[in-house]
Amino acid sequence: MIRGKKSVHITIDDGPTERYTENIVHILKAHKAKATFFVLGEQMEKYPKRANMLYEFQVANHGYKHINNWRVRSTEQRENIQRVEERFPDIEKYYRPPYGFLTITQLLYCYGRLAVKMWTLMTYDFNHYKTQDALWKRIQFSLRKNQCVLVFHDNIKSSKHSRWLLNRTL
C-alpha cells in the first residue's frame, strides 16, 4: 500500500439470494467497484444463476451453512468449511466465519489452506432499529481511516439498508 493512500475493501456476506444479489451486482457495476462476496455454499447451490453473476468479482468461502461455530461440534465446523471447498474449488482461498466467531478448530483447519479474512467495520445493515443515517455515520467514520474493510450483507434482513448504504459508500 502506498503511504497516505486510502484503501476501502467492500465485502458482501451471506449470498447469493434470489431477490437481492442482482441489485447489489448492479450497484457495484454502476460504480465500477470491486468487491469480495463471502458466499454460503447452500445458497450457491440453491441460486446458481445468481451465483454465476458473482464470478465477475472475488468469491470466497463463508461456510456451507450460516452456523454459529461456537454452538456446534468441531467436526461440524470443519465440514462446513470443507464442503464449500469441495463443491466450489475455483473460489478464492479465503474464509470468513459466520457472525465473525472464529474458533481454534477453524483456525487450525484453515492454516496453510485458507486465509481468514475479517472486517474492520460491520455496517449493521441488517439492524432495523437503526436509521440509515445513523448507520451511514458509522461508515463515514470508518472511511476516514487509511484502510477499512466494510461488510455488507446479501439477505432479507439487510434488504432495508444494504443497497442504500452501499450506493452511498461508493
Side-chain angles (χ1 to χ4, degrees), residues 72-133:
V72 298
R73 296 181 330 274
S74 57
T75 54
E76 193 174 340
Q77 293 172 28
R78 283 191 306 272
E79 288 168 0
N80 196 47
I81 301 168
Q82 190 174 28
R83 201 166 169 188
V84 174
E85 286 183 286
E86 291 169 356
R87 294 184 183 193
F88 305 98
D90 296 335
I91 68 173
E92 297 290 332
K93 301 300 180 197
Y94 301 146
Y95 173 68
R96 175 178 287 160
Y99 305 105
F101 297 160
L102 183 64
T103 66
I104 192 70
T105 297
Q106 294 169 295
L107 200 54
L108 290 172
Y109 178 83
C110 290
Y111 183 77
R113 178 182 281 124
L114 300 170
V116 175
K117 299 289 184 177
M118 299 303 273
W119 59 84
T120 60
L121 180 75
M122 170 66 69
T123 62
Y124 288 101
D125 53 353
F126 51 82
N127 187 335
H128 293 270
Y129 299 106
K130 298 272 187 187
T131 66
Q132 288 176 334
D133 287 331

